[in-house]
Amino acid sequence: GKFFLYAKATHTTKARARRDGKPVDGAMRPFTALLDVGLRRTTTGAKVFASLKGAADGGLDVPHTTKRFVGFAEGALNSGVLRDHIVGAHVSNYMKVLQETDEEKYKSQ
């Protein structure tokens, strides 16, 4: 069979009004997923949390907090650091430093 994912709700009533005994918010979230990290280390800034961020931004309902995202320090999330990591600014900065300090290593990249 074929499966379709619609961008907006196709029904007029909610299928589930409560989840875990709490009311469900009005936002449409087509899937609920849990992050299984397996044997990966769950340190702040780990790549597995980048995939979590992408999944949550893509519309999956993944229960999480921002404590493990890159840029979280001293009880708050620095969204500028997170954005720089998402667009790869930290890699660009590293390549600029490498180009200035070690031309051979820069060329081998």
Side-chain angles (χ1 to χ4, degrees), residues 3 8 11 15 21 26 28-29 35 39 42-43 45 59 61 66-67 69 72 79 82 93 99 104-105:
F3 297 95
K8 57 184 175 179
H11 50 81
M28 187 184 132
R29 298 286 189 153
L35 177 66
L39 297 175
T42 56
T43 57
D61 183 15
T66 59
K67 289 182 179 180
F69 290 156
F72 187 87
S79 60
L82 179 61
N93 293 338
Q99 185 178 20
E104 286 298 318
K105 197 170 182 181

Side-chain angles (χ1 to χ4, degrees), residues 90-107:
H90 64 294
V91 176
S92 175
N93 293 338
Y94 172 73
M95 293 304 286
K96 287 176 186 175
V97 169
L98 194 61
Q99 185 178 20
E100 294 170 0
T101 58
D102 191 356
E103 190 70 27
E104 286 298 318
K105 197 170 182 181
Y106 173 78
K107 288 181 181 178

